[in-house]
Amino acid sequence: MKEVMKMKVRLKEEVLKDLNKAADFNRAAFSKNKTLVINLMSSPGSGKTTLLEETVKALSNEFAIAVIEGDLATDLDAQRLRAHGIKTVQINTVGGCHLDARMIAKVLPELDLKKVDILFIENIGNLVCPSGYDLGQDYKVVILSVPEGNDKIPKYPVMFRRTDVTVLNKIDLLPYVSFNLEEARNDLHAINPHAQFTALSAKTGEGMEEWINWIKDVYHQFVKH
């Protein structure tokens, strides 16, 4: 029994080592081509794709943008993004609950990174698994929506502890649901005092300017380095 346990631990270590190598490979490719990479994570239904569509509209005149779209099945979200003229590469995990660095590395040949200023990776809708995997990105962003309620940040602390920015989406619904904006802000800062918190509505455009300006700022900082 003890020997079996050792084999399990060894296998896990080897898998993680392999994933870390893939993440380093991705990071080197992104850095070489000066491509800023933002990993977008959320639960299903948070409005992640809608936010990405509106973000693309706001930035595409200034930046060359591409997307890696992760889903269990279908390319429905990828179709929405391609309709805006954005190069979008689909990854279907066929049941897997997150993207990993090897998946990203496998599709990189489909992108001409020399011509991509900003690459968004839209991860699988899940508040657990995606947080633990390094894809080689520069920033992790988690999207929370008002209808999900105030309990998500304290209930899923690992996700929010490991992100650089938390975007609260669908604030146009605040008058209609029970959600305390200040409580969410305080919960986030208790878990991750260095994380940025921004509230917006991708549907109405309210608050989008702060989010767009953050992307522009980190891009220009990235290029300088």
Side-chain angles (χ1 to χ4, degrees):
M1 184 65 178
K2 289 183 179 179
E3 188 63 29
V4 172
M5 292 297 292
K6 288 180 181 178
M7 289 174 65
K8 286 183 178 180
V9 171
R10 190 177 302 121
L11 178 60
K12 181 178 180 181
E13 288 176 349
E14 288 174 357
V15 169
L16 290 175
K17 185 176 180 180
D18 185 37
L19 289 174
N20 289 335
K21 285 183 178 179
D24 288 340
F25 171 85
N26 296 342
R27 199 170 357 260
F30 300 145
S31 177
K32 177 183 177 181
N33 291 285
K34 295 190 180 299
T35 302
L36 175 71
V37 182
I38 299 175
N39 180 7
L40 299 176
M41 302 173 290
S42 76
S43 59
S46 67
K48 187 162 69 265
T49 305
T50 299
L51 176 62
L52 193 46
E53 286 181 290
E54 297 307 315
T55 301
V56 163
K57 290 178 187 177
L59 294 173
S60 58
N61 287 336
E62 187 174 347
F63 302 98
I65 298 172
V67 176
I68 294 176
E69 176 65 43
D71 285 295
L72 274 71
T74 81
D75 67 344
L76 296 175
D77 290 343
Q79 290 179 40
R80 289 169 58 180
L81 294 163
R82 289 170 184 151
H84 299 285
I86 299 301
K87 173 67 176 180
T88 305
V89 177
Q90 179 71 52
I91 296 177
N92 289 130
T93 63
V94 195
C97 62
H98 60 86
L99 297 178
D100 68 39
R102 291 174 300 187
M103 297 175 188
I104 302 300
K106 188 175 180 179
V107 301
L108 285 187
E110 299 182 44
L111 296 169
D112 186 353
L113 291 177
K114 295 189 296 294
K115 298 179 180 179
V116 178
D117 297 319
I118 303 173
L119 172 64
F120 291 99
I121 300 174
E122 184 173 353
N123 219 311
I124 307 297
N126 188 321
L127 282 179
V128 181
C129 304
S131 66
Y133 290 84
D134 179 9
L135 306 181
Q137 74 283 310
D138 297 291
Y139 293 94
K140 288 183 176 182
V141 174
V142 61
I143 300 157
L144 176 69
S145 65
V146 164
E148 294 175 72
N150 274 100
D151 62 342
K152 295 303 178 290
I153 294 175
K155 283 177 69 174
Y156 299 92
V158 176
M159 171 63 81
F160 293 93
R161 188 178 297 125
R162 292 177 174 174
T163 53
D164 301 289
V165 179
T166 291
V167 175
L168 177 67
N169 192 20
K170 304 187 182 181
I171 60 170
D172 52 301
L173 298 180
L174 281 172
Y176 311 106
V177 299
S178 177
F179 190 93
N180 188 308
L181 187 60
E182 197 58 33
E183 181 182 333
R185 194 187 306 271
N186 291 338
D187 283 343
L188 175 64
H189 289 167
I191 292 170
N192 186 350
H194 302 294
Q196 181 170 324
F197 181 89
T198 184
L200 56 80
S201 169
K203 181 178 180 180
T204 68
E206 182 181 359
M208 281 290 293
E209 185 176 0
E210 182 179 356
W211 163 243
I212 297 300
N213 285 340
W214 176 79
I215 296 172
K216 290 181 178 181
D217 288 344
V218 295
Y219 175 81
H220 292 306
Q221 291 170 18
F222 172 79
V223 170
K224 286 180 181 177
H225 289 91

